[in-house]
Amino acid sequence: MRHPVSQYYRGSARHPVSWLCEASCLVALRDILSRSTILLLIAIQLNRGSARHPVSQYYPIAYSNTIKLHLKKTGFHQQSFGSSLNYSTGLAHFPTLAHIKYLRMSYEFAEGYKIRDQGATHFLTFSIMGWIDVFSRQRYRDIILNSFQFCRREKGLKIGAYVIMINHIHTIWTASHNNLSDILRDFKTYTSKAITTSIQNDPESRREWLLYMFNYFANGTNANDMYKVWTGHNHPEEIYSDSFMKTKLNYIHENPVRAGLVKEPSHYLYSSAADYEDKKGITEIDLLY
């Protein structure tokens, strides 16, 4: 007996979600599924495991902790889906519309948070692909600082705090022109090109390896870029209260201490910690208080 949705796809009914990868199915479902949901389900299909475990055909187990956390925050519970949903083994049968709603919700929170208010103050994290220690070189750190100041002068960016670690950056940013996403895009595009150009043209003992790795990461995307330096996620968290702001501010400034680089936050040069201790940091910022 054919699976009830087999008319939407070609292939074995033993793979009940393989139809999601068919172009004909995308047309048939466009009225009930958002584009983001379709992309999520296709990505999940490409990363599925054994056909004996339908769970991995619907969502990666790696998302389970994030999904559980979000369900807890929003009041959804496992019982809402009956016995068909299991965090360890997943969905036992073809998803209902309730499951689709669940998958939509999990997509929104699967990779952190979204920027919903372009003018609000946000805590942001920029990470280097593969956690490569690019910022162990001063000139790459200085590229970041120069770009910070350009965005402040030309784009209306307010930098409330920052720290540059060897392979990632934490910041608190506010876009005074309500264009935070645009600033993020431009900042990452410019610094990515500036860093790879410096690797190519300036003395660099790891030139061949760095360019190889960033090219390798670029080949894993649909973009036409030769190199991919930054990850695609910034994990934006809106600063919704003074206490939350101070929590994030302390988290940023304590990073070098936790890493064992300094004993006091203000001793770390590439950080705004000194500015909050009535000292002068190495670059201009916009104090949060």
Side-chain angles (χ1 to χ4, degrees):
M1 179 178 177
R2 293 175 63 84
H3 195 280
V5 296
S6 58
Q7 67 268 28
Y8 291 106
Y9 72 99
R10 296 172 302 194
S12 170
R14 294 176 60 190
H15 298 277
V17 295
S18 60
W19 55 276
L20 289 169
C21 294
E22 295 288 342
S24 60
C25 169
L26 298 183
V27 174
L29 292 180
R30 65 186 175 186
D31 292 331
I32 62 172
L33 292 179
S34 68
R35 178 175 179 271
S36 60
T37 303
I38 292 173
L39 292 176
L40 169 69
L41 295 176
I42 289 177
I44 288 167
Q45 169 67 6
L46 295 176
N47 288 280
R48 70 180 190 275
S50 168
R52 296 177 60 187
H53 297 282
V55 51
S56 52
Q57 298 177 14
Y58 294 99
Y59 61 87
I61 293 177
Y63 288 161
S64 62
N65 289 336
T66 301
I67 292 171
K68 282 189 284 187
L69 176 62
H70 181 56
L71 289 177
K72 182 177 180 181
K73 289 181 177 178
T74 55
F76 281 82
H77 300 284
Q78 180 174 352
Q79 287 77 9
S80 301
F81 301 98
S83 61
S84 64
L85 176 63
N86 183 290
Y87 292 131
S88 299
T89 59
L91 303 176
H93 52 71
F94 192 80
T96 64
L97 289 179
H99 292 135
I100 295 298
K101 180 179 180 182
Y102 168 75
L103 286 171
R104 244 188 208 167
M105 177 180 61
S106 67
Y107 170 80
E108 182 177 355
F109 287 84
E111 296 294 348
Y113 302 89
K114 291 184 178 180
I115 297 174
R116 292 177 173 80
D117 184 348
Q118 293 289 331
T121 300
H122 283 77
F123 169 83
L124 303 161
T125 299
F126 309 122
S127 301
I128 298 294
M129 290 295 297
W131 283 85
I132 296 174
D133 59 338
V134 168
F135 301 121
S136 58
R137 295 275 196 270
Q138 178 181 340
R139 70 171 181 270
Y140 305 135
R141 298 194 297 268
D142 290 343
I143 287 173
I144 299 300
L145 295 183
N146 291 335
S147 185
F148 279 175
Q149 294 309 310
F150 177 84
C151 291
R152 289 181 73 246
R153 292 191 310 270
E154 305 297 331
K155 298 180 179 293
L157 175 65
K158 295 181 179 179
I159 301 175
Y162 76 93
V163 65
I164 304 176
M165 302 300 287
I166 61 171
N167 50 25
H168 67 282
I169 299 169
H170 294 301
T171 66
I172 295 179
W173 282 7
T174 308
S176 57
H177 302 322
N178 298 317
N179 60 340
L180 184 57
S181 292
D182 292 340
I183 295 176
L184 284 172
R185 180 199 62 225
D186 294 345
F187 169 79
K188 294 176 78 172
T189 298
Y190 171 78
T191 54
S192 177
K193 292 180 179 178
I195 289 170
T196 53
T197 298
S198 180
I199 292 172
Q200 291 172 313
N201 298 331
D202 299 323
E204 174 56 74
S205 61
R206 301 187 298 172
R207 177 183 296 115
E208 183 176 349
W209 178 75
L210 287 171
L211 294 178
Y212 171 84
M213 292 302 299
F214 291 141
N215 177 254
Y216 170 81
F217 293 130
N219 290 336
T221 70
N222 293 325
N224 293 323
D225 296 333
M226 179 70 71
Y227 304 109
K228 182 173 176 60
V229 174
W230 299 107
T231 64
H233 309 296
N234 309 308
H235 201 280
E237 296 183 59
E238 186 172 329
I239 304 298
Y240 57 84
S241 68
D242 288 342
S243 61
F244 187 65
M245 180 265 291
K246 291 180 180 179
T247 296
K248 290 302 183 183
L249 193 63
N250 290 334
Y251 177 83
I252 288 174
H253 294 157
E254 290 288 338
N255 250 245
V257 178
R258 289 193 298 271
L261 301 176
V262 292
K263 289 186 177 181
E264 298 295 333
S266 61
H267 295 171
Y268 190 70
L269 188 60
Y270 285 84
S271 161
S272 57
D275 294 281
Y276 284 89
E277 295 186 10
D278 298 324
K279 302 174 184 177
K280 181 66 175 176
I282 62 172
T283 192
E284 295 290 332
I285 67 165
D286 306 279
L287 292 173
L288 296 167
Y289 63 86

